[in-house]
Amino acid sequence: MLALMVWLIACGSSILALVWAYRFYREMMGADEGNALMQEIAQSVRQGANAYLKQQYKWVAIVFVFVAILLAVAAFVLRVQNAFVPIAFLMGGFFSGLCGWFGMKTATYASSRTAAGAQRSLNDGLQIAFRSGAVMGLIVVGMGLIYICFWFALLYWLLPLIDEAYAMSLQQISVAMLSFGMGASAQALFARVGGGIFTKAADVGADLVGKVEQSLKEDSPRNPATIADNVGDNVGDVAGMGADLYESYCGSILAASALGVAAFQSSRGLPEGYDVTTAQLQAMLLPLAIAGVGILLSIVGIYAVKTGEEPTQKALLKALGKGINRSSLLVMVAAVVLSVWLMPPVPGTLIFGIIPGIAVSIIVGLVAGWGIGQWTERVTSDEYSATRKLAKQAETGPATIIICGIADGMLSTWVPVVIVCAAMLLSFGFANGGSFNDLNCFSLGLYGVGIAAVGMLSTLGITLATDAYGPIADNAGGNAEMSGLEDVVRERTDALDSLGNTTAATGKGFAIGSAALTALALLAAYVEGVRDGMVRWGDEYVHHEDVTSDGVYRITPDLLVEKTGDESEVFLVLNPSIDKGEEVKAWRKATDPKLDSATVALPGEKHFGRVDSIGASIVSVRSANLKDFLIFYDATLMNPRVLVGVFLGAMSTFMFCAMTMKSVGRAAQGMVIEVRRQFEANPGILDGSVKPDYETPVNISTKAAQREMILPSLLGLLMPIVVGVLLGVGGVLGLLVGCLTSGFCLAVFMANSGGSWDNAKKYIEAGNHGGKGSNAHKAAVVGDTVGDPFKDTSGPSLNILIKLMSMVSVVVAGLVVRYSLVAMGIF
């Protein structure tokens, strides 16, 4: 009954989010679209964005079908994973792509309406842009949660109704659902990388030739790359961000649910009156309940966003902050109520004897996200000294502003790193009552870290609205410029656009922060995938034709399975005695798979058995804790496989950024050549007597993005598999740690550098340091073009890479457990 109530809350909230998204969409569509020229420009952008996404989805569909076939082979031939994974992979990718498509469709209709609203007042322009961004936010959380609810209902209720033989344990359900996030991660990476390459190729081409060489205004209709630039804002910053945060949202909920089940794997430490299954179910459902209530409270916050007519970033940020703060405070209250209702009251973790510490873990995650957002605003907004000092550097040329921008970005990493580290420690400590050294409470602490990521993303409905709003405001400014509207309109849209740069950087900070917490949760959840892979291996082994009688068999020298009829129980062989070196060598070289009872004593209820000949402990895989697995795979820095994995993970993030930035450079080169060609071939373009060819630059960006997005995306998909096969489970753990730590710092650095360069340029364009057309402005434009791939291609794609590697690792855990060179005794 409790499970049904929580499921109905989550499912009802997700449906309500989709209904409210449609309501905001209808409100936007009912607004004034502007004059005929404004409508024509918006239509051109809409057609370009539609054409690009259709082309992208064709390529992605081919890759997805190929990967789904490989997953089907792994599920049905090798039997190393759940049979539903191939279907869920396709569904996750489809839903992720759908979120991006709906967000892009809304944004392309909203741009001219935002410009028309800005003709009336600043608040009208903000309302239309923000409510249109809210469509994206609510679609992402609505579709994400309903996807999770669908699979939970299927695996938990429907399959056992069809046949009792299909019933799965909560541990199996949680691991299966965790692996279902891989499709969303893969689609998000393709969308982010492809969209980022498209938008930045067009942006760099438009800026370098139009602004620097020809001194044209921002979004001038005489610039051939203007339409491509506006199309890019929609396919990169809207569709790409939507797919990105859909993946983050689903991944955080699924990881926390899996860790909640793992936290109560054993009956040790259970509160009075609870059995293992009840405790696991309630811990699994808590993230869904938080996400569901978070949707409702995000809608409440959206209605609080209003502003006056003062076009300063400070006033506009205050307006958006009002909505986000209201939602966040309400979620904090809800977290306490939901935790008291659902979280098993583990002794030693209660505050005031009634409030589970996990409630504080949720609040810690929410505060950490807010803190990262505030810091990002401080280091990227031109309301603060950091960006104003950066703008002053432009007076001495492009070199100094680039040097200072890189240094500022690197320096800006320290606060997010400290916040995330503090959030990890606090959420871990509050969840398990501060028992950092108690192995029985360790999994409970990890559950706290996982649910902190859910807390951070619980208000995604409104925080994503502030992000998606930015490209809409940017396109509105372009529409106003190309339509020749009065200067006050452009002043208002520029204020909204400048705010959009800061909110976009804040949104990226949220995405990166949640990626760090989610990736740590996925790192722990990977062990659950390994556990599941071992259990599946044992089930397969006892049904082999050569295993005919009951008894204990050796799957590998360190992995045993007990056959009892058709049932199997798998055991880890841990800590062989260092005093029995010769016996250990003999044990590992033995070829007889069956062990006699004199050699092995299996664990009883209150003690562990021992393998007499080598003095080792035997631990059941089903009840083994995280440390048991780390000992089994020697997951320490003294293990060369782990250390090599760490280096490969760190290297992967730099390789990925290099690939994506080179892709932008190659695509931008083609764009620059084309824009220059048009100016030389048709001099009338510059005086306005000849209309530029807008279609060719759009086609150049489209083809370049399709061609260039494949290789970086394959890096994220293939690296965990290759490392897993070569270096085993320990190597994969090292890979994920290296990717997480280096990727987090690199992503923060790139996002903040790019955001500050962009706002420094806009600060100069507002009339400071010589204003538009000055040498300082030209230097700032060069800095901005360097920052474009930083903040909109490589940086935001890194957080997806981190989680995609984690997701792929979970999905292929069963394969690595059985078929790696380490598992087969080759390496």
Side-chain angles (χ1 to χ4, degrees):
M1 186 64 185
L2 182 66
L4 182 61
M5 287 176 64
V6 174
W7 186 85
L8 288 173
I9 290 171
C11 202
S13 297
S14 59
I15 292 171
L16 190 65
L18 297 176
V19 170
W20 233 262
Y22 180 72
R23 179 176 176 177
F24 286 149
Y25 175 77
R26 295 305 306 167
E27 283 182 11
M28 179 272 296
M29 291 297 288
D32 178 22
E33 197 175 355
N35 59 43
L37 181 56
M38 294 167 70
Q39 294 179 37
E40 180 187 337
I41 293 165
Q43 178 65 17
S44 297
V45 173
R46 191 155 48 245
Q47 287 175 347
N50 278 326
Y52 170 77
L53 282 188
K54 284 179 182 177
Q55 189 69 18
Q56 183 189 68
Y57 289 163
K58 285 178 185 177
W59 281 100
V60 172
I62 293 170
V63 175
F64 263 62
V65 169
F66 178 71
V67 174
I69 292 171
L70 295 180
L71 292 174
V73 171
F76 297 105
V77 179
L78 301 177
R79 299 183 183 278
V80 294
Q81 64 190 22
N82 190 282
F84 286 106
V85 168
I87 302 168
F89 173 75
L90 294 175
M91 276 187 66
F94 175 76
F95 271 69
S96 178
L98 205 59
C99 288
W101 179 274
F102 282 133
M104 180 276 297
K105 183 180 175 68
T106 302
T108 53
Y109 277 110
S111 59
S112 63
R113 290 170 169 83
T114 300
Q119 285 183 293
R120 297 187 296 274
S121 71
L122 181 64
N123 186 56
D124 279 0
L126 174 66
Q127 289 293 325
I128 294 170
F130 183 73
R131 295 282 175 89
S132 301
V135 173
M136 165 66 89
L138 293 175
I139 283 176
V140 165
V141 295
M143 286 193 171
L145 196 52
I146 208 166
Y147 172 78
I148 293 170
C149 288
F150 166 78
W151 281 110
F152 178 79
L154 177 67
L155 299 180
Y156 185 71
W157 284 308
L158 295 183
L159 284 186
L161 284 178
I162 295 170
D163 192 330
E164 277 296 326
Y166 296 150
M168 300 165 64
S169 70
L170 287 173
Q171 189 269 339
Q172 290 173 318
I173 292 173
S174 66
V175 172
M177 289 180 64
L178 182 62
S179 64
F180 294 169
M182 178 180 163
S185 297
Q187 163 60 26
L189 192 61
F190 280 113
R192 251 307 183 192
V193 172
I197 292 169
F198 183 108
T199 183
K200 293 306 110 182
D203 203 355
V204 170
D207 282 356
L208 285 181
V209 183
K211 284 187 177 180
V212 176
E213 294 181 7
Q214 302 297 336
S215 297
L216 297 176
K217 289 183 178 181
E218 178 91 23
D219 298 311
S220 169
R222 292 176 288 170
N223 193 331
T226 293
I227 292 293
D229 186 11
N230 283 290
V231 170
D233 290 335
N234 291 287
V235 300
D237 295 340
V238 178
M241 177 57 83
D244 175 359
L245 285 170
Y246 172 87
E247 176 264 345
S248 296
Y249 188 69
C250 291
S252 66
I253 296 170
L254 293 171
S257 294
L259 290 174
V261 173
F264 296 100
Q265 196 78 38
S266 167
S267 59
R268 293 189 298 270
L270 278 181
E272 187 177 344
Y274 280 81
D275 57 36
V276 168
T277 303
T278 303
Q280 285 182 327
L281 180 62
Q282 293 187 200
M284 184 180 185
L285 292 172
L286 180 57
L288 272 72
I290 294 165
V293 173
I295 288 175
L296 302 177
L297 299 179
S298 292
I299 295 173
V300 173
I302 288 168
Y303 281 99
V305 176
K306 295 175 183 175
T307 188
E309 286 306 302
E310 185 183 358
T312 64
Q313 274 212 47
K314 191 172 184 179
L316 291 169
L317 283 168
K318 185 178 178 182
L320 294 184
K322 193 186 303 178
I324 294 173
N325 293 340
R326 177 179 294 184
S327 293
S328 299
L329 289 171
L330 291 173
V331 167
M332 289 180 186
V333 175
V336 174
V337 175
L338 292 173
S339 298
V340 171
W341 178 37
L342 288 173
M343 184 64 189
V346 179
T349 68
L350 300 179
I351 300 171
F352 304 125
I354 187 171
I355 300 173
I358 205 79
V360 184
S361 298
I362 300 165
I363 294 170
V364 164
L366 196 60
V367 172
W370 178 85
I372 291 173
Q374 290 295 305
W375 175 253
T376 306
E377 178 186 318
R378 183 165 290 275
V379 296
T380 59
S381 171
D382 62 22
E383 288 289 333
Y384 297 97
S385 61
T387 301
R388 293 188 176 188
K389 287 178 181 177
L390 181 63
K392 185 170 179 58
Q393 293 284 336
E395 292 180 348
T396 49
T400 49
I401 194 172
I402 290 172
I403 292 169
C404 188
I406 290 174
D408 284 349
M410 289 179 173
L411 188 62
S412 72
T413 60
W414 78 271
V415 170
V417 167
V418 169
I419 288 174
V420 167
C421 290
M424 287 179 182
L425 292 173
L426 289 172
S427 57
F428 186 100
F430 277 111
N432 69 0
S435 303
F436 286 89
N437 299 316
D438 186 349
L439 291 179
N440 294 326
C441 298
F442 194 77
S443 294
L444 191 60
L446 289 174
Y447 177 49
V449 176
I451 210 162
V454 178
M456 187 178 283
L457 292 174
S458 59
T459 56
L460 186 63
I462 185 170
T463 53
L464 181 52
T466 65
D467 197 326
Y469 137 87
I472 295 171
D474 192 0
N475 268 219
N479 192 292
E481 182 68 40
M482 297 182 74
S483 304
L485 299 183
E486 53 269 27
D487 290 343
V488 68
V489 178
R490 184 67 210 225
E491 181 185 332
R492 289 168 179 166
T493 57
D494 276 352
L496 295 174
D497 182 21
S498 186
L499 172 69
N501 286 326
T502 300
T503 58
T506 303
K508 292 179 180 76
F510 256 86
I512 294 165
S514 70
L517 292 178
T518 302
L520 182 67
L522 287 170
L523 184 64
Y526 173 62
V527 174
E528 297 306 307
V530 170
R531 189 198 308 269
D532 184 65
M534 288 180 172
V535 171
R536 289 178 183 279
W537 195 0
D539 289 342
E540 284 290 306
Y541 191 89
V542 298
H543 289 94
H544 193 273
E545 58 185 16
D546 294 335
V547 181
T548 55
S549 60
D550 289 357
V552 180
Y553 293 82
R554 186 204 320 258
I555 302 179
T556 72
D558 298 320
L559 201 63
L560 310 180
V561 60
E562 181 185 25
K563 173 179 168 62
T564 309
D566 289 333
E567 300 296 321
S568 69
E569 183 76 14
V570 184
F571 298 90
L572 306 175
V573 178
L574 299 178
N575 293 326
S577 173
I578 60 174
D579 296 327
K580 298 191 175 185
E582 293 303 318
E583 291 88 341
V584 172
K585 287 181 182 178
W587 169 272
R588 294 188 184 282
K589 291 179 180 178
T591 56
D592 185 5
K594 191 168 184 181
L595 303 174
D596 58 49
S597 57
T599 307
V600 59
L602 294 179
E605 288 185 7
K606 297 182 180 179
H607 67 279
F608 290 132
R610 302 193 61 87
V611 178
D612 296 335
S613 62
I614 59 174
S617 300
I618 301 176
V619 180
S620 168
V621 164
R622 294 184 191 276
S623 61
N625 59 39
L626 181 64
K627 189 170 183 180
D628 292 329
F629 284 102
L630 296 181
I631 292 171
F632 183 77
Y633 285 109
D634 188 20
T636 68
L637 291 179
M638 293 298 101
N639 182 346
R641 298 188 194 99
V642 176
L643 194 56
V644 169
V646 171
F647 273 102
L648 291 175
M651 175 207 72
S652 297
T653 60
F654 284 89
M655 277 187 64
F656 179 82
C657 289
M659 287 178 178
T660 50
M661 291 190 71
K662 277 182 172 289
S663 295
V664 171
R666 285 190 292 267
Q669 190 174 32
M671 186 68 68
V672 167
I673 291 170
E674 169 59 22
V675 175
R676 284 175 179 165
R677 184 198 66 78
Q678 288 200 35
F679 285 145
E680 291 171 4
N682 297 291
I685 291 175
L686 288 172
D687 61 24
S689 60
V690 177
K691 187 177 180 181
D693 173 13
Y694 297 124
E695 190 173 338
T696 300
V698 172
N699 291 335
I700 288 173
S701 267
T702 299
K703 290 176 182 176
Q706 303 305 313
R707 183 176 62 250
E708 300 283 358
M709 74 177 180
I710 301 297
L711 197 56
S713 301
L714 288 178
L715 176 71
L717 285 167
L718 296 179
M719 185 63 84
I721 300 173
V722 173
V723 171
V725 170
L726 294 178
L727 302 177
V729 171
V732 173
L733 288 169
L735 176 80
L736 299 182
V737 169
C739 183
L740 168 60
T741 50
S742 67
F744 177 74
C745 293
L746 195 55
V748 172
F749 150 60
M750 298 186 91
N752 288 349
S753 282
S756 58
W757 272 320
D758 198 345
N759 276 337
K761 177 196 71 175
K762 284 186 165 51
Y763 183 69
I764 293 173
E765 288 175 345
N768 301 289
H769 306 295
K772 291 182 181 179
S774 65
N775 288 333
H777 180 233
K778 290 181 178 181
V781 170
V782 174
D784 182 35
T785 57
V786 175
D788 278 337
F790 268 46
K791 69 181 175 65
D792 291 326
T793 308
S794 301
S797 299
L798 273 172
N799 71 78
I800 310 174
L801 179 76
I802 293 167
K803 286 174 290 184
L804 177 62
M805 282 194 174
S806 301
M807 282 291 185
V808 173
S809 298
V810 171
V811 170
V812 301
L815 180 75
V816 172
V817 163
R818 290 176 64 173
Y819 296 108
S820 69
L821 297 182
V822 178
M824 293 189 289
I826 299 172
F827 175 53

